[in-house]
Coordinates of all heavy atoms in Angstrom, one line a residue:
Y1 N 143.6 11.5 118.9 CA 143.7 12.5 120.0 C 143.2 13.9 119.4 O 142.3 14.4 120.1 CB 145.1 12.6 120.5 CG 145.3 13.8 121.4 CD1 144.9 13.7 122.7 CD2 145.8 15.0 121.0 CE1 145.1 14.8 123.6 CE2 146.0 16.0 121.8 CZ 145.6 16.0 123.1 OH 145.8 17.0 124.0
V2 N 143.6 14.3 118.4 CA 143.3 15.7 117.9 C 141.8 15.8 117.5 O 141.3 16.9 117.6 CB 144.2 16.1 116.7 CG1 143.9 15.4 115.4 CG2 144.3 17.6 116.5
D3 N 141.2 14.7 117.1 CA 139.8 14.7 116.8 C 138.9 15.1 118.0 O 137.8 15.5 117.7 CB 139.4 13.3 116.3 CG 140.0 12.9 115.0 OD1 140.6 13.8 114.3 OD2 140.0 11.7 114.7
R4 N 139.4 14.9 119.1 CA 138.6 15.3 120.3 C 138.3 16.8 120.4 O 137.3 17.3 121.0 CB 139.4 15.0 121.6 CG 139.5 13.5 121.8 CD 140.3 13.1 123.1 NE 140.6 14.1 124.0 CZ 141.5 14.0 125.0 NH1 142.2 12.8 125.1 NH2 141.7 14.9 125.9
F5 N 139.1 17.6 119.6 CA 139.0 19.0 119.7 C 138.3 19.6 118.5 O 138.0 20.8 118.4 CB 140.4 19.7 119.8 CG 141.1 19.1 121.0 CD1 142.0 18.1 120.8 CD2 140.9 19.7 122.3 CE1 142.7 17.6 121.9 CE2 141.5 19.1 123.4 CZ 142.4 18.1 123.2
A6 N 137.8 18.7 117.6 CA 137.1 19.2 116.4 C 135.7 19.5 116.7 O 135.1 18.9 117.6 CB 137.1 18.1 115.3
D7 N 135.1 20.4 116.0 CA 133.7 20.8 116.1 C 133.2 21.1 117.5 O 132.1 20.8 117.9 CB 132.8 19.6 115.5 CG 133.2 19.4 114.1 OD1 133.5 20.4 113.3 OD2 133.2 18.2 113.6
G8 N 134.1 21.6 118.4 CA 133.8 22.0 119.7 C 133.5 20.9 120.7 O 133.0 21.2 121.8
A9 N 133.9 19.7 120.4 CA 133.7 18.6 121.3 C 134.4 18.9 122.6 O 133.9 18.6 123.7 CB 134.2 17.3 120.7
E10 N 135.7 19.4 122.6 CA 136.5 19.8 123.7 C 137.2 21.1 123.4 O 137.3 21.4 122.2 CB 137.6 18.7 124.1 CG 137.0 17.4 124.6 CD 138.1 16.5 125.0 OE1 139.1 16.9 125.7 OE2 137.9 15.3 124.8
D11 N 137.6 21.8 124.4 CA 138.2 23.1 124.2 C 139.5 23.0 123.4 O 140.4 22.4 123.9 CB 138.4 23.7 125.6 CG 139.1 25.1 125.5 OD1 139.3 25.7 124.4 OD2 139.4 25.7 126.6
P12 N 139.6 23.6 122.2 CA 140.7 23.4 121.4 C 142.0 24.1 122.0 O 143.1 23.6 121.7 CB 140.4 24.2 120.1 CG 139.0 24.5 120.2 CD 138.5 24.3 121.6
A13 N 141.9 25.0 122.9 CA 143.0 25.5 123.6 C 143.7 24.5 124.6 O 144.8 24.7 124.9 CB 142.6 26.8 124.4
Q14 N 143.0 23.4 124.8 CA 143.5 22.4 125.7 C 144.3 21.3 124.9 O 144.8 20.3 125.5 CB 142.4 21.8 126.6 CG 141.8 22.7 127.5 CD 142.7 23.4 128.4 OE1 143.5 22.7 129.1 NE2 142.7 24.7 128.5
C15 N 144.4 21.4 123.6 CA 145.0 20.4 122.8 C 146.5 20.5 123.1 O 147.2 21.6 122.9 CB 144.8 20.7 121.3 SG 145.6 19.5 120.3
K16 N 147.1 19.5 123.5 CA 148.6 19.4 123.9 C 149.3 18.3 123.0 O 149.7 17.3 123.5 CB 148.8 19.1 125.4 CG 148.1 20.0 126.3 CD 148.6 21.4 126.2 CE 147.8 22.3 127.2 NZ 147.8 23.7 126.7
L17 N 149.4 18.7 121.7 CA 150.0 17.8 120.7 C 151.3 18.4 120.3 O 151.2 19.5 119.7 CB 149.1 17.5 119.6 CG 149.5 16.5 118.5 CD1 149.8 15.2 119.1 CD2 148.4 16.4 117.4
F18 N 152.5 17.8 120.5 CA 153.7 18.4 120.1 C 154.5 17.5 119.1 O 154.2 16.3 119.1 CB 154.6 18.5 121.4 CG 153.9 19.4 122.5 CD1 153.2 18.8 123.5 CD2 153.9 20.8 122.4 CE1 152.6 19.6 124.5 CE2 153.3 21.6 123.3 CZ 152.7 21.0 124.4
F19 N 155.4 18.2 118.4 CA 156.0 17.5 117.3 C 157.4 18.1 117.1 O 157.5 19.3 117.1 CB 155.1 17.7 116.1 CG 155.7 17.5 114.7 CD1 156.1 16.3 114.2 CD2 155.9 18.6 113.8 CE1 156.6 16.1 113.0 CE2 156.4 18.4 112.6 CZ 156.8 17.2 112.1
F20 N 158.4 17.3 116.9 CA 159.8 17.7 116.5 C 159.9 17.4 115.0 O 159.8 16.3 114.6 CB 160.9 17.1 117.3 CG 162.2 17.7 116.9 CD1 162.6 18.9 117.5 CD2 163.0 17.1 116.0 CE1 163.8 19.4 117.1 CE2 164.2 17.6 115.6 CZ 164.6 18.8 116.2
D21 N 160.0 18.5 114.2 CA 160.1 18.3 112.8 C 161.6 18.0 112.4 O 162.4 18.8 112.4 CB 159.7 19.6 112.1 CG 159.6 19.5 110.6 OD1 160.1 18.4 110.0 OD2 159.1 20.4 109.9
D22 N 161.8 16.7 112.1 CA 163.1 16.2 111.7 C 163.3 16.2 110.2 O 164.3 15.7 109.7 CB 163.3 14.8 112.3 CG 164.8 14.4 112.3 OD1 165.6 15.3 112.3 OD2 165.1 13.2 112.3
A23 N 162.4 16.9 109.4 CA 162.5 17.0 108.0 C 162.1 15.8 107.2 O 161.6 15.9 106.1 CB 163.8 17.5 107.6
G24 N 162.3 14.6 107.7 CA 161.9 13.4 107.0 C 162.6 13.1 105.8 O 163.6 13.7 105.4
P25 N 162.1 12.1 105.0 CA 162.8 11.7 103.8 C 162.6 12.8 102.7 O 161.7 13.6 102.9 CB 162.0 10.4 103.4 CG 160.7 10.5 104.1 CD 160.9 11.3 105.4
P26 N 163.3 12.6 101.6 CA 163.2 13.7 100.5 C 161.8 13.9 100.0 O 161.4 14.9 99.6 CB 164.1 13.1 99.4 CG 165.0 12.2 100.1 CD 164.3 11.6 101.3
W27 N 160.9 12.9 100.0 CA 159.6 13.0 99.5 C 158.6 13.6 100.4 O 157.5 14.0 100.1 CB 159.1 11.7 99.0 CG 159.2 10.6 100.0 CD1 160.2 9.6 100.0 CD2 158.4 10.3 101.1 NE1 160.0 8.8 101.1 CE2 158.9 9.1 101.8 CE3 157.2 10.9 101.6 CZ2 158.4 8.6 102.9 CZ3 156.7 10.3 102.8 CH2 157.2 9.2 103.4
A28 N 159.0 13.8 101.7 CA 158.1 14.3 102.7 C 157.8 15.8 102.5 O 158.7 16.6 102.0 CB 158.7 14.1 104.1
R29 N 156.7 16.2 103.0 CA 156.4 17.7 103.0 C 157.3 18.5 103.8 O 157.6 18.1 104.9 CB 154.9 17.9 103.4 CG 154.5 19.3 103.4 CD 153.0 19.4 103.9 NE 152.6 20.8 104.0 CZ 152.7 21.6 105.1 NH1 153.2 21.0 106.2 NH2 152.3 22.8 105.1
K30 N 157.8 19.6 103.3 CA 158.8 20.4 104.1 C 158.1 21.7 104.5 O 157.3 22.3 103.8 CB 160.0 20.8 103.2 CG 160.7 19.6 102.6 CD 161.4 18.8 103.6 CE 162.3 17.7 102.9 NZ 162.3 16.4 103.6
D31 N 158.5 22.2 105.7 CA 158.0 23.5 106.2 C 159.1 24.2 106.9 O 159.5 23.7 108.0 CB 156.8 23.2 107.2 CG 156.1 24.5 107.6 OD1 156.8 25.6 107.4 OD2 155.1 24.4 108.2
A32 N 159.6 25.2 106.2 CA 160.8 25.9 106.8 C 160.5 26.5 108.2 O 161.4 26.7 109.0 CB 161.2 27.0 105.8
A33 N 159.2 26.8 108.4 CA 158.9 27.4 109.8 C 159.0 26.4 110.9 O 159.3 26.8 112.0 CB 157.4 27.9 109.7
T34 N 158.9 25.1 110.6 CA 159.0 24.1 111.7 C 160.2 23.2 111.6 O 160.5 22.6 112.7 CB 157.7 23.2 111.7 OG1 157.6 22.5 110.5 CG2 156.4 24.1 111.9
E35 N 160.9 23.2 110.5 CA 162.0 22.3 110.4 C 163.0 22.5 111.5 O 163.5 23.6 111.7 CB 162.6 22.4 109.0 CG 163.7 21.3 108.8 CD 164.1 21.3 107.4 OE1 163.5 21.8 106.4 OE2 165.3 20.8 107.2
G36 N 163.4 21.4 112.2 CA 164.4 21.4 113.2 C 163.9 22.1 114.5 O 164.7 22.4 115.3
K37 N 162.6 22.2 114.7 CA 162.0 22.8 115.9 C 161.0 22.0 116.4 O 160.3 21.2 115.8 CB 161.5 24.2 115.5 CG 162.5 25.1 114.8 CD 161.7 26.4 114.4 CE 162.7 27.3 113.7 NZ 162.1 28.3 112.8
W38 N 160.7 22.2 117.7 CA 159.4 21.7 118.4 C 158.3 22.6 117.9 O 158.5 23.8 117.8 CB 159.6 21.7 119.9 CG 160.5 20.7 120.4 CD1 161.8 20.8 120.9 CD2 160.2 19.3 120.6 NE1 162.3 19.6 121.3 CE2 161.3 18.7 121.1 CE3 159.0 18.5 120.2 CZ2 161.3 17.3 121.4 CZ3 159.1 17.1 120.5 CH2 160.3 16.6 121.1
S39 N 157.1 22.0 117.7 CA 155.9 22.7 117.3 C 154.8 22.1 118.1 O 154.8 21.0 118.6 CB 155.7 22.6 115.8 OG 156.7 23.2 115.1
C40 N 153.7 22.9 118.2 CA 152.5 22.5 118.8 C 151.3 22.7 117.9 O 151.3 23.6 117.0 CB 152.3 23.5 120.1 SG 150.8 23.0 121.0
W41 N 150.4 21.7 117.9 CA 149.3 21.7 117.0 C 148.3 22.8 117.5 O 147.9 22.8 118.6 CB 148.6 20.4 117.0 CG 147.5 20.3 116.0 CD1 146.2 20.2 116.3 CD2 147.5 20.4 114.6 NE1 145.4 20.2 115.2 CE2 146.2 20.3 114.1 CE3 148.5 20.5 113.7 CZ2 145.9 20.4 112.7 CZ3 148.2 20.6 112.3 CH2 146.9 20.4 111.9
N42 N 147.9 23.7 116.6 CA 146.9 24.7 116.8 C 145.6 24.0 116.3 O 145.3 24.0 115.1 CB 147.2 26.0 116.1 CG 146.2 27.1 116.4 OD1 144.9 26.8 116.4 ND2 146.6 28.3 116.5
A43 N 144.7 23.6 117.3 CA 143.5 22.9 116.9 C 142.5 23.8 116.3 O 141.5 23.4 115.7 CB 142.9 22.1 118.1
I44 N 142.6 25.1 116.6 CA 141.6 26.1 116.0 C 142.0 26.3 114.5 O 141.1 26.3 113.6 CB 141.6 27.4 116.8 CG1 141.1 27.1 118.2 CG2 140.8 28.5 116.1 CD1 141.3 28.2 119.2
D45 N 143.2 26.7 114.2 CA 143.7 27.0 112.9 C 144.1 25.8 112.1 O 144.4 25.8 110.9 CB 144.9 28.0 112.9 CG 144.4 29.3 113.5 OD1 143.2 29.7 113.4 OD2 145.3 30.1 114.0
K46 N 144.2 24.6 112.8 CA 144.5 23.3 112.2 C 145.9 23.4 111.4 O 146.0 23.1 110.3 CB 143.5 22.9 111.3 CG 142.2 22.6 112.0 CD 141.0 22.1 111.1 CE 139.8 21.9 112.0 NZ 138.6 21.7 111.3
K47 N 146.9 23.8 112.2 CA 148.2 23.9 111.7 C 149.3 23.8 112.8 O 149.0 24.0 114.0 CB 148.5 25.2 110.9 CG 148.5 26.5 111.8 CD 148.8 27.7 111.0 CE 148.9 28.9 112.0 NZ 149.3 30.1 111.3
W48 N 150.5 23.4 112.5 CA 151.6 23.4 113.4 C 152.2 24.7 113.6 O 152.4 25.5 112.6 CB 152.7 22.4 112.9 CG 152.4 21.0 112.9 CD1 152.0 20.2 111.8 CD2 152.2 20.1 114.0 NE1 151.7 18.9 112.2 CE2 151.8 18.9 113.5 CE3 152.4 20.3 115.4 CZ2 151.6 17.8 114.4 CZ3 152.1 19.3 116.2 CH2 151.8 18.0 115.7
E49 N 152.4 25.1 114.8 CA 153.0 26.4 115.2 C 154.3 26.1 115.9 O 154.3 25.5 117.0 CB 152.1 27.2 116.0 CG 150.8 27.6 115.4 CD 149.9 28.5 116.1 OE1 150.1 28.6 117.4 OE2 149.0 29.1 115.5
P50 N 155.4 26.7 115.4 CA 156.8 26.5 116.0 C 156.8 27.1 117.4 O 156.1 28.2 117.6 CB 157.7 27.2 115.1 CG 157.0 27.9 114.1 CD 155.5 27.5 114.2
L51 N 157.4 26.4 118.4 CA 157.6 26.9 119.7 C 158.9 27.6 119.9 O 159.9 27.3 119.2 CB 157.5 25.7 120.7 CG 156.2 24.9 120.7 CD1 156.4 23.7 121.6 CD2 155.1 25.8 121.2
E52 N 159.0 28.6 120.8 CA 160.2 29.3 121.1 C 161.1 28.4 122.0 O 162.3 28.6 122.0 CB 159.9 30.6 121.7 CG 159.2 31.6 120.9 CD 160.0 32.0 119.7 OE1 161.2 32.2 119.8 OE2 159.5 32.2 118.6
T53 N 160.5 27.5 122.8 CA 161.2 26.7 123.7 C 160.6 25.3 123.5 O 159.8 25.0 122.7 CB 161.0 27.1 125.2 OG1 159.6 27.0 125.5 CG2 161.5 28.5 125.4
M54 N 161.2 24.4 124.3 CA 160.7 23.0 124.3 C 159.3 22.9 124.8 O 158.9 23.7 125.6 CB 161.6 22.1 125.1 CG 162.9 21.8 124.6 SD 163.8 20.6 125.7 CE 163.4 21.0 127.3
P55 N 158.6 21.8 124.4 CA 157.3 21.6 125.1 C 157.5 21.1 126.5 O 158.7 20.8 126.8 CB 156.7 20.5 124.2 CG 157.8 19.8 123.5 CD 158.9 20.9 123.4
P56 N 156.5 21.0 127.3 CA 156.7 20.4 128.6 C 157.2 19.0 128.5 O 156.9 18.2 127.6 CB 155.3 20.5 129.3 CG 154.3 20.8 128.2 CD 155.1 21.3 127.0
A57 N 158.0 18.5 129.5 CA 158.4 17.2 129.6 C 157.3 16.2 129.7 O 156.3 16.5 130.4 CB 159.4 17.0 130.8
P58 N 157.4 15.1 129.1 CA 156.3 14.1 129.2 C 156.1 13.6 130.6 O 157.1 13.4 131.4 CB 156.8 12.9 128.3 CG 157.8 13.5 127.5 CD 158.5 14.6 128.2
S59 N 154.8 13.5 131.0 CA 154.5 13.0 132.3 C 153.1 12.4 132.3 O 152.3 12.7 131.4 CB 154.5 14.0 133.4 OG 153.6 15.0 133.1
G60 N 152.7 11.5 133.2 CA 151.4 10.9 133.2 C 151.3 10.0 132.0 O 152.2 9.3 131.7
V61 N 150.1 10.0 131.4 CA 149.9 9.2 130.3 C 150.2 10.0 129.0 O 149.6 11.1 128.8 CB 148.4 8.8 130.2 CG1 148.0 8.0 129.0 CG2 148.0 8.0 131.5
Y62 N 151.1 9.5 128.2 CA 151.4 10.2 126.9 C 151.8 9.1 125.9 O 152.1 8.0 126.2 CB 152.5 11.2 127.2 CG 153.9 10.6 127.5 CD1 154.8 10.4 126.4 CD2 154.2 10.3 128.7 CE1 156.0 9.8 126.7 CE2 155.4 9.7 129.1 CZ 156.3 9.5 128.0 OH 157.5 8.9 128.3
A63 N 151.9 9.5 124.7 CA 152.4 8.7 123.6 C 153.5 9.3 122.9 O 153.5 10.5 122.7 CB 151.2 8.3 122.6
G64 N 154.5 8.6 122.5 CA 155.6 9.1 121.7 C 155.6 8.3 120.4 O 155.7 7.1 120.4
I65 N 155.4 8.9 119.3 CA 155.3 8.4 118.0 C 156.3 8.9 117.1 O 156.5 10.2 117.1 CB 153.9 8.5 117.4 CG1 152.8 8.0 118.4 CG2 153.7 7.9 116.0 CD1 151.4 8.3 118.0
G66 N 157.0 8.1 116.4 CA 158.0 8.7 115.4 C 158.6 7.7 114.5 O 158.1 6.6 114.4
A67 N 159.7 8.1 113.8 CA 160.3 7.3 112.8 C 161.2 6.2 113.5 O 161.5 6.3 114.7 CB 161.2 8.2 112.0
T68 N 161.6 5.3 112.7 CA 162.4 4.2 113.3 C 163.9 4.7 113.2 O 164.7 4.1 113.9 CB 162.3 2.9 112.5 OG1 162.5 3.2 111.1 CG2 160.9 2.3 112.7
R69 N 164.1 5.7 112.5 CA 165.5 6.2 112.4 C 165.5 7.7 112.7 O 164.7 8.4 112.0 CB 166.1 6.0 111.0 CG 166.3 4.6 110.7 CD 167.0 4.4 109.4 NE 167.1 3.0 109.1 CZ 166.5 2.4 108.1 NH1 165.8 3.1 107.2 NH2 166.6 1.1 107.8
L70 N 166.2 8.2 113.6 CA 166.3 9.6 113.9 C 167.6 10.2 113.5 O 168.7 9.6 113.7 CB 166.2 9.8 115.5 CG 164.8 9.3 116.1 CD1 165.0 9.4 117.6 CD2 163.7 10.2 115.6
S71 N 167.6 11.4 113.1 CA 168.8 12.2 112.9 C 169.5 12.5 114.3 O 168.8 12.4 115.3 CB 168.6 13.4 112.2 OG 167.9 14.4 113.0
S72 N 170.7 12.8 114.3 CA 171.3 13.3 115.6 C 170.7 14.5 116.2 O 170.6 14.6 117.4 CB 172.9 13.5 115.4 OG 173.1 14.5 114.4
R73 N 170.2 15.4 115.3 CA 169.4 16.5 115.7 C 168.1 16.2 116.4 O 167.9 16.7 117.5 CB 169.1 17.4 114.5 CG 168.2 18.6 114.7 CD 168.0 19.4 113.5 NE 167.2 18.8 112.5 CZ 166.8 19.4 111.4 NH1 167.2 20.6 111.1 NH2 166.1 18.7 110.5
A74 N 167.4 15.2 115.9 CA 166.2 14.8 116.6 C 166.4 14.0 117.9 O 165.8 14.2 118.9 CB 165.3 13.9 115.6
E75 N 167.5 13.2 117.8 CA 167.8 12.5 119.0 C 168.2 13.4 120.2 O 167.8 13.3 121.3 CB 169.0 11.5 118.8 CG 169.3 10.7 119.9 CD 170.5 9.7 119.7 OE1 170.7 9.3 118.5 OE2 171.1 9.2 120.6
S76 N 168.9 14.4 119.9 CA 169.3 15.4 120.8 C 168.1 16.2 121.4 O 168.1 16.4 122.6 CB 170.4 16.4 120.2 OG 170.7 17.4 121.1
A77 N 167.2 16.5 120.5 CA 166.0 17.2 120.9 C 165.1 16.4 121.9 O 164.6 16.9 122.9 CB 165.1 17.7 119.7
I78 N 165.0 15.1 121.6 CA 164.2 14.2 122.4 C 164.9 13.9 123.7 O 164.2 14.0 124.8 CB 163.9 12.9 121.6 CG1 163.0 13.2 120.4 CG2 163.3 11.8 122.5 CD1 162.9 12.1 119.4
R79 N 166.2 13.7 123.7 CA 166.9 13.5 124.9 C 166.8 14.8 125.8 O 166.6 14.7 127.0 CB 168.4 13.2 124.7 CG 168.6 11.8 124.1 CD 170.1 11.5 124.0 NE 170.3 10.2 123.4 CZ 170.2 9.0 124.0 NH1 169.9 8.9 125.2 NH2 170.4 7.9 123.2
G80 N 166.9 15.9 125.2 CA 166.7 17.2 126.0 C 165.4 17.3 126.6 O 165.2 17.8 127.7
L81 N 164.4 16.9 125.9 CA 163.0 17.0 126.3 C 162.8 16.1 127.6 O 162.3 16.6 128.6 CB 162.0 16.5 125.3 CG 160.6 16.5 125.7 CD1 160.1 17.9 125.9 CD2 159.8 15.8 124.6
Y82 N 163.4 15.0 127.6 CA 163.3 14.1 128.8 C 164.1 14.6 130.0 O 163.8 14.4 131.1 CB 163.6 12.6 128.5 CG 162.5 11.9 127.8 CD1 162.3 11.9 126.4 CD2 161.5 11.3 128.6 CE1 161.3 11.2 125.8 CE2 160.5 10.6 128.0 CZ 160.3 10.6 126.6 OH 159.3 10.0 126.1
R83 N 165.2 15.3 129.6 CA 166.1 15.9 130.7 C 165.5 17.3 131.2 O 166.1 17.8 132.1 CB 167.5 16.0 130.2 CG 168.2 14.7 130.0 CD 169.6 15.0 129.6 NE 170.3 13.7 129.3 CZ 171.0 13.4 128.2 NH1 171.1 14.3 127.3 NH2 171.5 12.2 128.0
G84 N 164.6 17.8 130.4 CA 164.1 19.1 130.8 C 165.0 20.2 130.4 O 165.0 21.3 131.1
Q85 N 165.8 20.1 129.3 CA 166.6 21.2 128.9 C 166.7 21.3 127.4 O 166.6 20.3 126.7 CB 168.1 20.9 129.5 CG 168.6 19.5 129.2 CD 169.9 19.2 129.9 OE1 170.9 19.5 129.4 NE2 169.8 18.6 131.1
D86 N 166.8 22.5 126.9 CA 166.8 22.7 125.5 C 168.1 22.1 125.0 O 169.2 22.2 125.5 CB 166.9 24.2 125.2 CG 165.5 24.9 125.2 OD1 164.6 24.2 124.7 OD2 165.4 26.0 125.7
A87 N 167.9 21.4 123.8 CA 169.0 20.8 123.2 C 169.7 21.8 122.3 O 169.0 22.7 121.8 CB 168.6 19.6 122.3
K88 N 171.0 21.7 122.1 CA 171.7 22.6 121.2 C 171.5 22.0 119.8 O 172.2 21.0 119.5 CB 173.1 22.8 121.6 CG 173.2 23.3 123.0 CD 174.5 24.1 123.1 CE 174.7 24.7 124.4 NZ 173.8 24.7 125.5
L89 N 170.7 22.6 118.9 CA 170.4 22.0 117.7 C 171.3 22.6 116.7 O 171.4 23.1 115.9 CB 168.9 22.2 117.3 CG 167.9 21.7 118.3 CD1 166.5 22.0 117.9 CD2 168.1 20.1 118.4

């Protein structure tokens, strides 16, 4: 998906890629700026940017990709997303 916005193929401002940073396993890359938060991919700067609020609720055609095991924090964030309300993290 994100490749569509590389090299000016599509408007990078239209990239709608969201991520909840659940911190992952001990060997995973850590980013204090995004940990425990929803973030959006900045296709221009090629980095995750933390959001102040939740992303829009999924609708239409979308993909949900993630780990097979979620923390209670991540589960709460995802449930809140589908309900359209900020989870208390």
Side-chain angles (χ1 to χ4, degrees):
Y1 170 82
V2 76
D3 293 343
R4 293 176 14 192
F5 305 97
D7 302 322
E10 291 187 39
D11 180 3
Q14 298 303 310
C15 182
K16 304 297 179 202
L17 182 60
F18 302 99
F19 161 71
F20 183 82
D21 186 351
D22 197 23
W27 49 262
R29 180 178 177 269
K30 306 290 187 219
D31 185 345
T34 62
E35 187 173 336
K37 301 174 186 163
W38 285 104
S39 296
C40 184
W41 182 249
N42 180 321
I44 296 169
D45 295 335
K46 298 181 179 169
K47 66 177 187 173
W48 290 107
E49 294 184 341
L51 299 172
E52 295 294 322
T53 61
M54 290 187 320
S59 65
V61 178
Y62 70 93
I65 302 169
T68 55
R69 295 185 185 117
L70 296 172
S71 69
S72 59
R73 173 175 70 176
E75 184 177 341
S76 178
I78 293 166
R79 288 185 188 279
L81 180 66
Y82 280 92
R83 290 183 183 130
Q85 50 191 272
D86 279 320
K88 299 207 178 1
L89 304 175

